[in-house]
Amino acid sequence: MLALTAVDVHPPLYYVALKLWMNLVGGDVPLMRLLGCLFLGACIAAMALLLRRMFGTRVTMLCLPVLTVGVFALRFGYELRMYSLASLLSVFGTYALLRAVDDSPMFATASAGAGKNIRVDEDARLAANTTGNDGFAVPEEHTGKSRLRWWVIYGVIVALGMYTLYLTALIWMTHVIWLTCLACRVVHRSRASLVSVGGQDRREDVPKRYRAWRWVFVYVFSVILYVPWMPFLINQMSHPALPPVTRQLNMAQMASIYSAMMVGLPEKNIPALVSLILMCIVAGIAVLLAKFHFRSSLTGRSLSMLSLLYALFGFPVMSMALYSSVKELIMHGSGFFSIRYCSLLCMFFMRHLPPHSH
C-alpha cells in the first residue's frame, strides 16, 4: 500500500488509517466516511480546548456553535480524504504548542507590558514556573516536566501532520514565525535590562536569553521523524502522473475563500442580500478589533494569542498567494491553488470573534 500511496500526491498516514478503519467497517461508503466525521468531531473538541486555553470558558462557549455548524469544515470533513485529519493535527498541534509555551519564562517575558522592566533571570523564571494559567500555584519541577512532555508531543504532531498533508507545513511555519517573534522580544528585553542591575554589570546573565531559542530542537526532532518519507516525497514532486493545478489565486478566489467559509458557497452563487450581510460582518469585525486593540485592559498575553490565531489563517493564505504569483510569472499564467487547500484553516477562520480581555 505504501508503494501505491508513494505515487499519489499526498503522504500515507490517512490511507493507513482508512485501511485499518475498513478492516473494521468493510467497504460501505457511509461507514467509511464516518472516519472523517470522527476526526472532524475531535478537531472541534481540540479547538474548544485551544480557545479555552487562550481566552477562557466564556469565549469558548460563544465560538463553539459557529465551529460546530461551520459549513466549510463539514463540506470537506465528510470526504474520503485526509482534510479532517489534517485539521485535527493542525489544531491539536497548536494546542500542544501553547501547553509547552504558555507558562514558560520566555512567554512570560515576551508577553509582559513594554514598559515593564523584565529580567530573564531566576526571578522571571520563578514567576513563570510557579503560577499556572489560572493563577494557581504550580510546583516548578512539575511545570518543567510538563512543558518538556508537551514539546515532545508537539514534535510528534508536526511529523504526523507532514505524513498526512504537505500543506500542514504552512501551519508549522506560522508557529515558527510566532516563536521567533517571541524569542526576539525576549532577547531585546534581556539586552535592555541585564546590562546593569543594582549598579553591577550582569553580563554573565546575558547567555540566558539564548534559552529562548531552544524550541528549534523540537523541529529538528520532527525532521528526524520525517526522514524515512523524504525519498518518497522527492519522487512524488517529480512524478509525471500527477495532475497539474493551474487555478490562479486572484481576488475572485480570495472572495471565494471568505464566502465559502461563511456560507459554503462560491462568491458567484451568493445573492446580493447575503453579500450585504457578509460585508456588514466584515465591518463589524473590524470595529470590534479596533475596540479591543485599544482597550488598556487587553493584556500582552491576549495580544500574543490573537496574533497567533490571525496568523494561522492569514499567513497560509498569503503564502499560497505569493507562491501562486511566482509560479504564474515563471509558468506564464499557470497558478497553483484549490479552495480545498484552505480546509485545514477553516477552524482558525471561524473563531474570528474577538475575545474579551481578562
Side-chain angles (χ1 to χ4, degrees):
M1 187 180 70
L2 290 178
L4 293 176
T5 57
V7 182
D8 189 34
V9 71
H10 296 296
L13 183 59
Y14 174 78
Y15 298 119
V16 173
L18 182 61
K19 176 64 176 178
L20 297 175
W21 180 255
M22 290 175 63
N23 292 336
L24 296 176
V25 303
D28 186 66
V29 174
L31 290 178
M32 292 168 63
R33 290 180 182 272
L34 180 60
L35 179 63
C37 298
L38 295 176
F39 286 143
L40 181 60
C43 180
I44 295 173
M47 193 67 197
L49 289 175
L50 177 62
L51 289 174
R52 184 175 181 274
R53 183 75 184 181
M54 287 181 161
F55 306 115
T57 304
R58 181 174 58 177
V59 172
T60 304
M61 297 305 295
L62 289 173
C63 295
L64 195 57
V66 181
L67 297 174
T68 305
V69 300
V71 289
F72 193 84
L74 295 176
R75 163 67 178 84
F76 290 101
Y78 296 159
E79 283 192 356
L80 284 172
R81 306 286 283 178
M82 68 291 301
Y83 301 115
S84 58
L85 177 57
S87 298
L88 170 60
L89 292 172
S90 299
V91 173
F92 190 70
T94 305
Y95 175 75
L97 174 65
L98 288 188
R99 289 299 301 266
V101 170
D102 199 8
D103 294 324
S104 66
M106 178 186 75
F107 191 73
T109 303
S111 300
K116 297 180 180 180
N117 185 21
I118 301 296
R119 291 167 46 194
V120 189
D121 56 9
E122 295 306 320
D123 295 337
R125 188 178 309 281
L126 181 62
N129 282 339
T130 58
T131 304
N133 194 46
D134 297 324
F136 298 102
V138 179
E140 181 177 356
E141 62 275 7
H142 173 73
T143 56
K145 292 179 181 179
S146 177
R147 286 198 301 269
L148 178 59
R149 181 170 63 250
W150 280 106
W151 275 124
V152 174
I153 293 173
Y154 174 72
V156 173
I157 293 175
V158 170
L160 291 178
M162 293 301 296
Y163 276 110
T164 304
L165 184 66
Y166 295 131
L167 284 174
T168 58
L170 297 176
I171 300 295
W172 316 136
M173 290 170 61
T174 306
H175 290 171
V176 169
I177 293 174
W178 185 71
L179 289 170
T180 301
C181 292
L182 292 182
C184 290
R185 200 176 305 168
V186 169
V187 171
H188 174 73
R189 292 184 177 180
S190 63
R191 284 175 177 172
S193 59
L194 286 177
V195 173
S196 179
V197 177
Q200 297 179 359
D201 191 13
R202 294 290 302 275
R203 293 185 183 275
E204 66 273 10
D205 288 337
V206 173
K208 293 182 180 180
R209 64 175 178 260
Y210 295 109
R211 296 176 183 176
W213 298 96
R214 289 184 295 183
W215 51 266
V216 174
F217 294 103
V218 177
Y219 292 97
V220 175
F221 170 63
S222 300
V223 171
I224 294 174
L225 294 178
Y226 194 64
V227 164
W229 183 252
M230 286 186 177
F232 299 99
L233 168 63
I234 297 173
N235 180 67
Q236 283 180 331
M237 296 298 103
S238 59
H239 201 282
L242 297 181
V245 181
T246 59
R247 183 172 297 174
Q248 297 178 342
L249 182 51
N250 49 29
M251 288 300 296
Q253 291 297 329
M254 289 286 190
S256 290
I257 293 174
Y258 177 72
S259 61
M261 289 193 178
M262 292 295 293
V263 297
L265 295 172
E267 87 289 350
K268 61 182 179 181
N269 295 334
I270 296 181
L273 178 60
V274 178
S275 301
L276 177 61
I277 294 174
L278 294 180
M279 286 189 292
C280 291
I281 292 175
V282 173
I285 290 176
V287 172
L288 288 174
L289 282 177
K291 175 184 175 181
F292 283 101
H293 178 73
F294 291 106
R295 284 181 60 172
S296 58
S297 58
L298 189 61
T299 64
R301 180 184 182 277
S302 298
L303 285 174
S304 296
M305 298 300 181
L306 280 174
S307 65
L308 174 60
L309 280 178
Y310 281 98
L312 282 169
F313 177 78
F315 176 77
V317 172
M318 296 307 297
S319 297
M320 288 186 285
L322 178 61
Y323 181 78
S324 181
S325 301
V326 173
K327 197 169 186 293
E328 288 170 13
L329 292 174
I330 297 176
M331 303 300 293
H332 305 289
S334 176
F336 186 83
F337 177 74
S338 176
I339 190 69
R340 64 180 59 243
Y341 294 169
C342 296
S343 58
L344 74 162
L345 311 177
C346 60
M347 285 294 168
F348 302 115
F349 175 86
M350 289 186 295
R351 63 104 212 86
H352 277 193
L353 176 66
H356 297 283
S357 54
H358 300 279

